[in-house]
């Protein structure tokens, strides 16, 4: 019974707000899926099952699972499988072939509710993987595998080559099923050929009987092997009270097989075994095509290697910048303050103070000494660190961090709405099939079974299911070629809804080209060495600019390092106290000169300050003018107000002297549909809070999981094209949805009237998928060429309108 909601309610299962709440057992649920999962867990008492530890309380399946995964107790094997291990928490990523639907995702991500010793569970549906963080002191790796096995998701583990094994297992099973179905289909057609060609009724009853039994034998491997997954998924969906798209397919297969068995066994007809085998064969072909599509559009594409990040390598005592994809085992990598560890390695110099919050969600830093191992994804907090890589750099690890649930922004998307509609869609199809059967049972019973089966098959929304992943995935790939690397597909939808753009200035609108001048006492060679050592450890854009303008001198090790984001940093080097930052941070007089920024220097005493005249990026003013015609623009800058008059024509709102917390509060006060463009460190809070956060990267290692996208600094002027292209992609999605629904309507009209056989319906399914995918690919590609060509022309032709040409190099 639905209750009228009088106040804000949250779902008992997932914790999301309940708009139209469903009440049951004194609990409220946001959807029937959550209620079904709750009922499943409650009925099976899974939450209590794993607290039973005595031998007599263990089920046979649990004992088998413990024997199967006993090898996971070996320490050497654990080292190969674990992606992270601290004093308390370990992280492992398992391949689970049993993942198949949204109910699987939800159940696996609720692992902490089944056992409190599991900290987090995250599912990568495309790759059928689950990442589990657990407290290894109380819960071993073997127990994690046993728990998953008991839930019906036995991990597939290969220590030799996990990735190759996964692909081989999936492809070989599906390929074998297709081969079996194809073999049976061809032979069933051969056995049925005399029945089709016997127009003069010359075929004797004995041969009809023999051919019928041969067809029955051919149907068994199709039903019990090739079509098995459809029955399993449909059954699990029904158990979870979820009418997934496999339910009508399973019903169609059962209907066709039951009718065939009845006719052959009672000798009242030849049955439809050839149609049954052909139906399963073409369904599997469509499934193979869909799997190939998902593999091609996996969010860990090859272009993750092109993330605009690089690291500092130590070669023959000298530092060099090297792209992250070129790092190899044994390389010496220098990690500065606030930089990420790109791969597992041992510390060879310095002291590690590693924050693993990106990996585990815990922000407590881990102290690491020389010789100890640090894991990929940790962020150094403090002085300079040098590590020797023990593993190859895998950009998929960065993608895993980037997609960590702790950084995801929750909200309803088109995909979530489609998931809600799919249940009602399936119910409607079942109702139409039932009404079709009733109609033909009354008027022509011989047509009834074929018509019902055709309805159930032709209405399968396979093409509908391919629209979003293919449109979004192809758009992500094209954006990556243009220098914008999106975190996930939902960012495209959010980009299409943006109405308010918020920009940082330093490092975003301004580039790396700057005029740096020091004002104060003459700096000695010792001062230069101390400054070079200190500036090189800071990730702030101003520090990088000064660092690049200092003379090449040998760097000194840092004893300590403490940076206050947006203010400055303090460090101790070779017995000298070094402070670098704003006038307020050093408590000195503040200078106010138009178009300049200042960095003050203290080395045992106040020495003076660097003035920095920054040049704006080429094409930036043309871009801002273009954007202001359609969006509200705001500027949040930590600099002084000297450039207010200069920048005011390009923004609706200007705010200077903004600390990171001020930017975050501004974003919180702004209405929805806002996009923040800034650097990945100082603006991390604002980037995370905004609906869309884009971090601009100057080919330095400032990767931040808090952002939704990484934009190459050279491509900042592509922002108008990105926004326009995102809207066009959404239009393509709606057009493709319309075509998919139209296909279903037309197909249903033929199936209901008995003019469509089950076999033809099965053939039309993959054809409709190919049509929709081809159309989506073509339209997305054409729109990408149109929008990016337009913005390039706009941004390069309007630079002369900048009021002060010395700010723009062009």
């Amino acid at each position: 019974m639905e209750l009228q909601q009088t106040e804000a309610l949250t779902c008992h299962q997932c914790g999301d707000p309940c708009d139209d709440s469903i009440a049951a057992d004194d609990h409220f649920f946001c959807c029937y899926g959550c209620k079904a999962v709750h009922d499943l867990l409650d009925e099976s008492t899974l939450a209590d099952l794993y607290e039973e530890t005595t031998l007599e309380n263990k089920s046979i399946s649990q004992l088998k699972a413990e024997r199967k995964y006993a090898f996971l107790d070996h320490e050497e094997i654990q080292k190969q499988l674990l992606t992270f291990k601290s004093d308390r928490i370990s992280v492992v990523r398992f391949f689970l072939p049993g993942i198949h639907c949204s109910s699987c995702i939800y159940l696996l991500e609720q692992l902490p509710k089944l056992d409190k010793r599991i900290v987090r569970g995250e599912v990568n549906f495309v790759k059928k993987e689950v990442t589990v963080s657990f407290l290894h002191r109380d819960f071993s790796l073997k127990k994690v595998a046993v728990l998953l096995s008991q839930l019906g998701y036995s991990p597939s583990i290969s220590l030799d080559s996990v990735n190759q094994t996964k692909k081989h297992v999936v492809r070989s099973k599906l390929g074998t099923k297709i081969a079996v179905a194809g073999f049976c289909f061809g032979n069933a057609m051969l056995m049925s050929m005399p029945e089709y060609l016997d127009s003069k009724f010359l075929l004797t009853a004995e041969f009809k009987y023999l051919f019928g039994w041969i067809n029955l034998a051919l149907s068994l491997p199709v039903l019990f092997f090739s079509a098995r997954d459809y029955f399993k998924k449909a059954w699990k969906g029904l158990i979870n009270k979820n009418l997934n798209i496999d339910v009508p397919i399973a019903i169609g297969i059962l209907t066709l097989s039951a009718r065939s068995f009845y006719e052959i066994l009672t000798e009242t007809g030849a049955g439809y075994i050839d149609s049954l085998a052909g139906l399963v064969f073409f369904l599997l072909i469509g499934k193979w095509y869909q799997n190939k599509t998902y593999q091609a559009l996996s969010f860990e594409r090859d272009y993750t290697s092109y993330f605009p990040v690089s690291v500092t390598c130590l070669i023959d005592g000298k530092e060099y910048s090297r792209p992250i994809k070129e790092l190899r085992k044994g390389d010496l990598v220098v990690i500065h303050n606030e930089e990420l560890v790109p791969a597992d390695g041992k510390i060879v110099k310095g002291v590690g103070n590693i924050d693993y919050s990106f990996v585990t969600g815990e922000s407590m830093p881990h102290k690491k000494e020389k010789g100890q191992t640090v894991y990929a994804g940790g962020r150094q907090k403090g002085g300079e660190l040098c590590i020797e890589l023990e593993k190859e750099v895998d950009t998929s690890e960065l993608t895993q961090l980037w997609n960590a649930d702790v950084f995801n922004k929750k909200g309803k998307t088109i995909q979530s709405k489609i998931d809600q509609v799919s249940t009602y869609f399936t119910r409607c199809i079942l109702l139409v099939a039932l009404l079709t059967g009733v109609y033909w049972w009354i008027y022509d019973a011989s047509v009834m079974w074929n018509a019902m089966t055709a309805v159930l098959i032709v209405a399968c929304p396979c093409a509908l299911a391919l629209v979003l992943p293919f449109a979004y995935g192809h758009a992500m790939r094209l954006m990556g070629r243009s220098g914008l690397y999106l975190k996930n597909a939902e960012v495209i939808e959010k980009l299409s809804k943006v109405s308010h753009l918020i920009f940082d200035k330093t490092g975003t609108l301004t580039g790396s080209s700057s005029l740096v001048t020091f004002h104060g006492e003459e700096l000695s060679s010792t001062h230069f060495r101390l400054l070079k050592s200190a500036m090189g450890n800071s990730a702030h854009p101003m520090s990088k600019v000064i660092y690049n303008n200092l003379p090449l001198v040998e760097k000194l090790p840092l004893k300590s390092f403490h940076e206050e984001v947006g203010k400055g940093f303090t460090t101790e080097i070779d017995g000298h106290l070094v402070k670098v930052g704003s006038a307020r941070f050093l408590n000195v007089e503040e200078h106010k000169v138009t178009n300049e920024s200042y960095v003050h220097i203290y080395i045992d005493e106040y020495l003076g300050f660097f003035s920095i005249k920054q040049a704006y990026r080429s094409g930036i003013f043309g871009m801002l003018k273009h954007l202001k015609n359609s969006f509200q623009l705001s500027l949040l800058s930590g600099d002084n107000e000297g450039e207010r008059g200069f920048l005011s024509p390009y923004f609706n709102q200007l705010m200077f002297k903004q600390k990171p917390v001020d930017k975050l509060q501004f974003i919180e006060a702004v209405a929805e549909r806002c996009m923040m463009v800034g650097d990945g460190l100082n603006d991390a809070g604002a980037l995370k809070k905004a609906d869309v956060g884009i971090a601009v990267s100057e080919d330095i290692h400032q990767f931040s999981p808090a952002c939704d996208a990484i934009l190459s600094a050279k491509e900042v002027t592509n922002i108008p094209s990105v926004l326009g292209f995102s809207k066009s992609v959404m239009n393509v999605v709606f057009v493709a949805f319309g075509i998919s629904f139209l296909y279903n309507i037309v197909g249903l009209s033929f199936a209901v009237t008995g003019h469509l056989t089950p076999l033809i319906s099965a053939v039309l399914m993959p054809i409709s998928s190919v049509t929709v995918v081809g159309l989506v690919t073509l339209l997305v590609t054409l729109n990408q060429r149109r929008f990016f060509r337009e913005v390039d022309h706009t941004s390069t032709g309007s630079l002369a309108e900048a009021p002060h040409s010395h700010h723009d190099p062009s």
Side-chain angles (χ1 to χ4, degrees):
M1 181 179 73
E2 292 188 5
L3 300 179
Q4 201 166 17
Q5 190 173 328
T6 57
E7 59 181 67
L9 298 174
T10 57
C11 177
H12 176 72
Q13 187 66 27
C14 68
D16 287 346
C18 296
D19 297 329
D20 298 315
S21 60
I22 301 166
D25 301 329
D26 298 325
H27 299 303
F28 293 96
F29 303 92
C30 64
C31 65
Y32 286 101
C34 287
K35 180 179 179 298
V37 173
H38 170 76
D39 292 342
L40 173 64
L41 297 178
D42 188 52
E43 291 170 7
S44 58
T45 61
L46 286 173
D48 299 326
L49 177 63
Y50 303 98
E51 295 179 2
E52 303 173 356
T53 55
T54 60
L55 183 62
E56 55 270 20
N57 285 334
K58 295 180 180 179
S59 63
I60 295 177
S61 62
Q62 188 173 354
L63 292 172
K64 287 183 177 179
E66 289 184 351
R67 286 196 296 269
K68 178 180 179 180
Y69 297 109
F71 67 93
L72 294 180
D73 283 332
H74 294 277
E75 187 175 351
E76 288 300 318
I77 293 177
Q78 292 179 15
K79 287 182 179 179
Q80 296 182 56
L81 291 177
L82 293 177
T83 59
F84 171 83
K85 185 175 182 180
S86 67
D87 295 337
R88 295 179 61 249
I89 295 178
S90 290
V91 180
V92 65
R93 186 160 61 248
F94 282 132
F95 172 61
L96 307 182
I99 296 177
H100 64 277
C101 68
S102 57
S103 297
C104 302
I105 298 174
Y106 190 82
L107 185 60
L108 290 170
E109 291 190 344
Q110 301 305 310
L111 288 176
K113 290 187 177 181
L114 299 182
D115 197 301
K116 294 181 180 179
R117 294 167 293 184
I118 293 181
V119 179
R120 187 171 65 187
E122 294 181 19
V123 176
N124 184 330
F125 180 71
V126 173
K127 305 191 79 172
K128 294 191 175 184
E129 292 177 342
V130 62
T131 302
V132 181
S133 304
F134 61 98
L135 303 174
H136 57 248
R137 292 180 181 177
D138 306 315
F139 204 64
S140 67
L141 180 61
K142 184 185 78 172
K143 289 182 178 179
V144 174
V146 171
L147 170 58
L148 293 171
S149 179
Q150 287 293 94
L151 288 173
Y153 303 95
S154 298
S156 176
I157 303 173
S158 170
L159 299 180
D160 295 329
S161 179
V162 178
N163 290 331
Q164 292 181 7
T165 301
K166 284 184 280 189
K167 293 180 180 179
H168 176 72
V169 169
V170 175
R171 290 178 182 175
S172 62
K173 284 186 177 180
L174 183 57
T176 304
K177 290 177 181 178
I178 293 174
V180 169
F183 172 82
C184 295
F185 173 45
N187 284 278
M189 285 287 290
L190 183 64
M191 293 297 103
S192 302
M193 194 68 70
E195 185 75 26
Y196 294 138
L197 300 178
D198 189 24
S199 58
K200 296 183 179 180
F201 306 102
L202 300 177
L203 190 64
T204 62
E206 291 80 5
F207 278 105
K208 286 185 178 181
Y209 190 68
L210 175 63
F211 293 156
W213 276 94
I214 293 176
N215 275 341
L216 277 183
L218 290 171
S219 70
L220 296 180
V222 174
L223 284 173
F224 294 103
F225 177 69
S226 296
R228 181 175 57 187
D229 285 345
Y230 292 106
F231 298 131
K232 289 173 61 178
K233 294 176 182 179
W235 177 247
K236 288 185 178 181
L238 292 173
I239 290 177
N240 292 333
K241 300 177 183 178
N242 176 28
L243 294 177
N244 54 45
I245 62 175
D246 294 301
V247 173
I249 295 177
I251 293 176
I253 294 174
L254 288 175
T255 302
L256 202 56
S257 59
R259 175 67 179 180
S260 301
F261 275 54
Y262 171 79
E263 289 188 2
I264 294 174
L265 293 175
T266 60
E267 299 184 23
T268 56
Y272 308 96
I273 300 300
D274 54 337
S275 296
L276 170 65
L279 167 64
V280 175
F281 175 70
F282 287 112
L283 284 174
L284 292 174
I285 289 292
K287 185 177 181 180
W288 170 83
Y289 177 77
Q290 183 171 338
N291 285 347
K292 292 291 289 184
T293 301
Y294 276 116
Q295 289 173 17
L297 300 176
S298 171
F299 295 152
E300 287 184 15
R301 299 176 183 80
D302 290 339
Y303 73 66
T304 54
S305 301
Y306 305 136
F307 275 154
V309 291
S310 60
V311 295
T312 303
C313 286
L314 199 62
I315 303 176
D316 296 329
K318 295 183 179 180
E319 294 184 358
Y320 299 91
S321 181
R322 175 179 291 181
I324 199 170
K325 62 179 180 179
E326 295 182 4
L327 295 180
R328 297 292 181 266
K329 181 179 178 180
D331 285 350
L332 295 179
V333 175
V334 180
I335 309 296
H336 303 109
N337 181 51
E338 294 293 339
E339 290 186 350
L340 288 180
V341 177
D344 298 352
K346 283 189 177 180
I347 298 177
V348 296
K349 186 179 180 182
V351 177
N353 194 36
I354 312 297
D355 176 8
Y356 286 113
S357 59
F358 294 159
V359 182
T360 65
E362 290 189 333
S363 59
M364 184 67 68
H366 295 253
K367 201 79 172 180
K368 296 292 181 180
E369 303 290 342
K370 183 178 179 180
Q372 290 185 303
T373 300
V374 291
Y375 293 92
R379 189 184 286 279
Q380 168 70 341
K381 297 280 189 178
E384 188 174 283
L385 193 65
C386 183
I387 66 171
E388 181 180 353
L389 299 186
E390 294 181 320
K391 288 184 178 181
E392 298 286 330
V393 175
D394 184 1
T395 52
S396 66
E397 294 293 337
L398 291 180
T399 310
Q400 288 287 337
L401 296 179
W402 207 10
N403 285 291
D405 186 64
V406 68
F407 295 106
N408 286 344
K409 302 180 177 81
K410 303 299 182 182
K412 286 194 173 183
T413 61
I414 286 184
Q415 181 64 60
S416 62
K417 295 173 184 176
I418 290 175
D419 292 339
Q420 294 174 1
V421 172
S422 62
T423 300
Y424 298 102
F425 181 84
T426 304
R427 290 175 180 175
C428 290
I429 295 307
L430 293 176
L431 179 61
V432 171
L434 180 62
L435 294 176
T436 301
V438 171
Y439 173 83
W440 285 110
W441 180 65
I442 296 173
Y443 290 97
D444 188 353
S446 64
V447 182
M448 180 183 70
W449 295 110
N450 273 351
M452 287 182 64
T453 308
V455 168
L456 293 170
I457 301 307
V458 78
C460 178
C462 293
L464 193 66
L466 285 175
V467 171
L468 279 182
F470 204 91
Y472 285 169
H474 190 48
M476 289 176 68
R477 184 163 49 215
L478 293 176
M479 286 185 178
R481 294 176 183 175
S482 301
L484 179 69
Y485 308 96
L486 302 185
K487 179 176 184 177
N488 53 51
E490 294 179 359
V491 178
I492 296 175
E493 186 177 340
K494 294 177 181 178
L495 281 168
S496 68
K497 299 176 181 179
V498 166
S499 61
H500 188 171
L501 305 182
I502 303 165
F503 288 90
D504 172 53
K505 184 173 78 72
T506 304
T508 303
L509 300 182
T510 60
S512 57
S513 175
S514 304
L515 176 62
V516 180
T517 307
F518 183 73
H519 306 269
E521 298 182 14
E522 185 176 354
L523 298 177
S524 65
S525 58
T526 301
H527 290 149
F528 280 126
R529 292 183 68 190
L530 294 172
L531 283 176
K532 192 78 172 181
S533 305
M535 293 293 187
N537 197 54
S538 174
H540 193 279
M542 291 287 192
S543 298
K544 296 297 182 184
V545 170
I546 296 174
Y547 177 86
N548 292 331
N549 280 271
L550 291 173
L552 292 174
V553 293
E554 183 182 356
K555 291 172 64 177
L556 299 170
L558 280 65
K559 184 177 181 180
S560 62
F561 189 93
H562 175 70
E563 185 167 13
E564 295 186 34
V565 180
K567 297 180 181 179
F569 63 84
T570 304
T571 181
E572 185 178 345
I573 309 173
D574 197 23
H576 298 277
L577 179 62
V578 180
K579 290 184 178 182
V580 177
S582 64
R584 186 180 302 179
F585 182 70
L586 271 67
N587 196 25
V588 296
E589 183 181 355
E590 186 171 359
H591 293 259
K592 294 182 179 180
V593 179
T594 303
N595 306 332
E596 289 186 356
S597 300
Y598 303 99
V599 176
H600 295 261
I601 305 299
Y602 179 99
I603 302 179
D604 296 328
E605 61 177 338
Y606 181 70
L607 299 180
F609 61 89
F610 286 98
S611 65
I612 304 172
K613 290 185 178 180
Q614 293 181 302
Y616 286 88
R617 299 187 187 277
S618 175
I620 205 70
F621 297 107
M623 181 199 74
L624 292 173
K625 185 177 180 180
H626 179 73
L627 288 172
K628 195 176 180 183
N629 295 328
S630 306
F631 301 91
Q632 182 177 353
L633 301 187
S634 297
L635 177 72
L636 302 181
S637 174
D639 296 339
N640 58 53
E641 300 192 16
E643 298 190 52
R644 177 179 292 275
F646 166 64
L647 293 172
S648 59
Y650 301 96
F651 291 93
N652 302 99
Q653 189 174 10
L654 293 165
M655 300 186 71
F656 294 91
K657 297 182 180 180
Q658 296 291 293
K659 301 176 185 176
V661 66
D662 297 327
K663 296 179 181 180
L664 175 59
Q665 291 173 353
F666 180 86
I667 298 290
E668 291 175 340
V670 171
E672 295 181 353
R673 303 198 300 173
C674 66
M675 182 177 84
M676 175 70 190
V677 184
D679 67 78
L681 175 63
N682 295 326
D683 303 321
L687 291 171
K688 179 182 176 183
K689 190 65 179 178
D691 292 320
V692 180
I694 297 181
V696 177
S697 179
E698 284 274 12
D699 291 328
I700 60 173
H701 193 182
Q702 57 185 50
F703 173 80
S704 173
C707 64
D708 296 296
I710 298 175
L711 177 63
S712 175
K714 295 180 290 186
E715 308 295 339
V716 170
T717 52
N718 273 341
I719 289 177
S721 68
V722 168
L723 298 172
F725 177 56
S726 299
K727 291 181 180 180
S728 71
V729 170
M730 297 308 300
N731 292 334
V732 170
V733 167
F734 290 125
V735 169
F737 280 155
I739 293 174
S740 299
F741 279 117
L742 182 62
Y743 161 80
N744 281 303
I745 292 172
V746 173
L748 278 174
S749 65
F750 281 96
V752 167
T753 56
H755 293 92
L756 203 62
T757 65
L759 181 59
I760 298 300
S761 299
V763 173
L764 289 177
M765 284 181 59
I767 291 178
S768 66
S769 299
V770 171
T771 303
V772 169
V773 166
L775 179 66
V776 166
T777 303
L778 177 63
L779 292 179
V780 170
T781 302
L782 292 176
N783 278 294
Q784 188 266 350
R785 292 177 181 176
R786 176 169 67 94
F787 277 97
F788 280 86
R789 185 184 299 119
E790 283 183 1
V791 81
D792 289 343
H793 173 75
T794 303
S795 61
T796 56
S798 57
L799 298 176
E801 61 194 7
H804 299 288
S805 59
H806 66 276
H807 282 272
D808 196 317
S810 63

